[in-house]
């Protein structure tokens, strides 16, 4: 590794929760910090489903990376897609250039996983970025517009059927949000159809929803979803996904909108690094989050396989990535200062939250468990607090207050896209 000093080059690939936390925590480091991302914004992913269901606008949950780092004098931002990493030469390859590094932080996140059926992606989009969310919003709203014009009863029912695959926090929140959108917010907007008669189905292959939550809270979330009119199918996996609908074993469900929230696969970081990885593509890292044999390379967030004291892999959630990003900054800060390295990374589990509609949430803080309206208030405050920037916090708070008082959603826009969107 190069000698510490003002010319020391730290490259951070990915400006998600982990990468951005690492970059900002290095603000006072005697080094140059280069942040590379293929998009120019940092996204608050936990609220993407609200963009997809017309509850929030994209700008409410995203902020320009350059704006976030504009006052950090030792940082620069490069817009580009990483094509590979040459660990021997210590360079990150972009499409039109190569960026040299003395220390590298790989925080490239995850992508959708379709369990060997990548062809399903065309019919069951997931939620990972703003483009996904606006496409899904267009698909949901356009489906109802098609139903309004449809004269065939079977085709109309298909357009008014929505299937969410995956019973984790994303799937639960998505199903609840779709139910409130079509059964409450849009209930009076149509004349030929009654959106409240829409069918929303949540499919989970496992025995219960929210497997990482307390069992009692998971059961309460299931009851809340069913009160909203969501059909919850447990112990049933999707066996086929196509343009006209999905299949659960021998049962076929005709639907125009399928949302995939069933699994993720790590970014291609393991291939770039030629590293050992698990079945989900997560790079196996050492206790200090470095790549074994390469102390100058750190892998964090969804791209890394990190285990807790019990040997269980840490979940791919924002709090894990943020703690890992801050830890990496501590390690690099110690190296640059010639100080003793911090002890191996240890995740502090502060719990999990999930919401079901506008009045119900479940909060599992491990030491205390909440459900209902109080939990929803805690969930709302937590998400507003962790948003980037005062403007975003204020905008989201006002949007949620308006929706709570009026039962309306202000972002019900069908933006430009494929003409057949929503008609599948």
């Amino acid at each position: 590794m190069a000698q510490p000093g003002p010319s020391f080059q730290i490259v951070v690939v990915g400006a998600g929760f982990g990468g951005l936390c690492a970059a900002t925590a290095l603000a006072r480091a005697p080094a140059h910090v280069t942040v590379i991302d293929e998009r120019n914004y940092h996204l608050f992913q936990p609220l993407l489903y609200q963009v997809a269901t017309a509850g929030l606008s994209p700008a409410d949950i995203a902020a320009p990376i350059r704006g976030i780092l504009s006052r950090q004098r030792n940082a620069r931002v490069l817009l580009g897609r990483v094509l590979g990493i040459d660990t021997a030469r210590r360079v990150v390859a972009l499409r039109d250039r190569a960026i040299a590094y003395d220390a590298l932080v790989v925080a490239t996140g995850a992508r959708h996983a379709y369990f060997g059926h990548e062809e399903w992606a065309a019919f069951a989009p997931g939620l990972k970025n703003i483009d996904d969310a606006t496409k899904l919003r267009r698909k949901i709203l356009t489906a109802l517009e098609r139903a309004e014009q449809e004269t065939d009863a079977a085709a109309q029912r298909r357009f008014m059927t929505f299937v969410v695959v995956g019973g984790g926090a994303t799937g639960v929140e998505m199903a609840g949000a779709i139910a409130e959108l079509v059964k409450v917010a849009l209930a009076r907007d149509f004349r030929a159809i009654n959106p409240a008669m829409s069918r929303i189905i949540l499919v989970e292959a496992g025995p219960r929803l929210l497997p990482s939550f307390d069992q009692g809270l998971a059961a309460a979330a299931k009851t809340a979803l069913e009160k909203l009119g969501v059909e919850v199918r447990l112990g049933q996996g999707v066996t086929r996904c196509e343009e006209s609908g999905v299949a659960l074993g021998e049962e076929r469900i005709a639907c125009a909108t399928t949302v995939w929230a069933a699994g993720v696969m790590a970014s291609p970081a393991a291939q770039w690094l030629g590293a050992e990885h698990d079945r989900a593509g997560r790079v196996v890292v050492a206790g200090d989050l470095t790549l074994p044999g390469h102390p100058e390379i750190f892998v964090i967030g969804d791209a890394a396989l990190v285990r807790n004291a019990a040997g269980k892999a840490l979940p791919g959630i924002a709090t894990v990535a943020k703690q890992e990003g801050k830890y990496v900054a501590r390690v690099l800060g110690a190296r640059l200062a010639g100080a003793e390295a911090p002890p191996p990374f240890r995740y502090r589990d502060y719990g999990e939250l999930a919401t079901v509609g506008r009045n119900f949430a479940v909060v599992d803080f491990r030491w205390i468990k909440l459900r209902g309206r109080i939990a929803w208030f805690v969930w709302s405050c937590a998400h507003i607090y962790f948003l980037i920037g005062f403007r975003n916090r204020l905008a989201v708070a006002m949007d949620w207050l308006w929706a709570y008082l009026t039962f309306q959603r202000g972002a019900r826009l069908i933006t430009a896209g494929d003409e057949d969107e929503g008609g599948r």
Side-chain angles (χ1 to χ4, degrees):
M1 182 176 290
Q3 290 298 312
S7 62
F8 193 84
Q9 301 289 336
I10 301 174
V11 174
V12 180
V13 180
F17 289 110
L20 195 60
C21 276
T24 54
L26 289 164
R28 297 184 182 276
H32 295 294
V33 180
T34 299
V35 178
I36 304 173
D37 201 289
E38 62 181 330
R39 295 181 175 85
N40 78 326
Y41 58 84
H42 168 75
L43 176 66
F44 191 77
Q45 280 194 349
L47 291 180
L48 258 183
Y49 79 95
Q50 293 224 354
V51 175
T53 54
L56 296 172
S57 296
D60 293 339
I61 64 167
I65 302 168
R66 291 188 183 278
I68 297 169
L69 297 175
S70 62
R71 296 186 179 182
Q72 186 168 330
R73 300 186 64 180
N74 70 338
R76 67 167 178 162
V77 178
L78 294 181
L79 185 67
R81 172 174 291 187
V82 173
L83 302 180
I85 298 170
D86 188 331
T87 58
R89 294 174 52 222
R90 294 188 180 182
V91 295
V92 176
L94 305 183
R95 186 165 298 169
D96 57 350
R97 70 183 74 180
I99 308 299
Y101 65 82
D102 295 309
L104 174 66
V105 182
V106 179
T108 45
R111 49 192 168 161
H112 309 305
Y114 292 89
F115 309 113
H117 294 279
E118 299 307 313
E119 69 277 9
W120 293 357
F123 315 116
L127 276 176
K128 281 298 173 185
N129 55 58
I130 286 177
D131 292 339
D132 292 338
T134 54
K135 180 180 179 180
L136 191 52
R137 181 182 66 187
R138 181 167 66 244
K139 194 175 183 70
I140 292 169
L141 296 177
T142 304
L144 293 173
E145 294 291 343
R146 295 288 181 87
E148 174 80 354
Q149 302 173 42
E150 186 58 65
T151 56
D152 179 74
Q156 192 176 76
R157 285 194 299 273
R158 175 175 164 265
F159 284 122
M160 295 174 66
T161 299
F162 305 87
V163 176
V164 180
V165 184
T170 300
V172 166
E173 292 180 339
M174 190 72 201
I178 293 175
E180 285 203 331
L181 174 66
V182 300
K183 294 178 179 292
V184 180
L186 301 179
R188 299 181 180 180
D189 288 9
F190 294 84
R191 299 295 176 265
I193 64 170
N194 179 7
M197 299 304 293
S198 296
R199 186 183 183 195
I200 299 98
I201 304 168
L202 176 60
V203 180
E204 167 55 42
R208 68 183 182 95
L209 301 178
L210 301 174
S212 62
F213 281 68
D214 171 81
Q215 190 163 352
L217 294 179
K222 178 177 180 292
T223 300
L225 281 171
E226 291 171 339
K227 286 182 179 179
L228 285 175
V230 177
E231 298 178 37
V232 179
R233 303 287 194 90
L234 300 177
Q236 295 180 285
V238 172
T239 55
R240 190 169 68 255
C241 185
E242 52 195 14
E243 186 174 335
S244 57
V246 301
L248 310 179
E250 297 299 319
E251 180 186 4
R252 185 181 177 282
I253 300 174
C255 65
T257 306
T258 304
V259 183
W260 191 264
V264 295
M265 176 71 67
S267 70
Q271 285 78 26
W272 297 341
L273 298 168
E276 180 185 357
H277 56 85
D278 68 355
R279 290 190 300 175
R282 295 176 296 183
V283 175
V284 177
V285 296
D288 61 354
L289 306 183
T290 59
L291 179 66
H294 289 275
E296 77 282 3
I297 299 177
F298 300 83
V299 186
I300 62 175
D302 291 347
L305 175 63
V306 183
R307 300 187 184 277
N308 60 21
K312 185 178 179 181
L314 296 181
I317 57 178
T319 53
V320 171
K322 292 173 75 171
Q323 288 184 35
E324 290 174 348
K326 292 176 182 178
Y327 173 83
V328 166
R330 286 177 56 206
V331 174
L332 287 171
R335 291 183 186 177
L336 289 164
E340 183 180 353
F345 174 76
R346 185 172 69 87
Y347 172 58
R348 290 171 175 79
D349 186 359
Y350 297 113
E352 297 180 87
L353 310 89
T355 184
V356 183
R358 66 193 296 274
N359 269 324
F360 190 93
V362 289
V363 174
D364 189 349
F365 285 149
R366 312 312 183 207
W367 54 277
I368 186 172
K369 305 179 193 305
L370 303 173
R371 67 186 73 183
R373 188 169 296 181
I374 292 177
W376 180 83
F377 179 76
V378 172
W379 176 93
S380 301
C381 291
H383 282 69
I384 289 173
Y385 174 79
F386 284 111
L387 280 167
I388 296 288
F390 175 77
R391 180 233 169 249
N392 287 18
R393 295 186 186 112
L394 180 62
V396 170
M398 295 303 295
D399 282 347
W400 282 351
L401 179 62
W402 174 257
Y404 189 86
L405 294 175
T406 67
F407 291 86
Q408 295 298 309
R409 297 190 177 214
R412 303 193 312 248
L413 306 178
I414 300 176
T415 54
D418 298 335
E419 292 184 0
D420 66 341
E421 199 67 69
R424 288 177 171 172

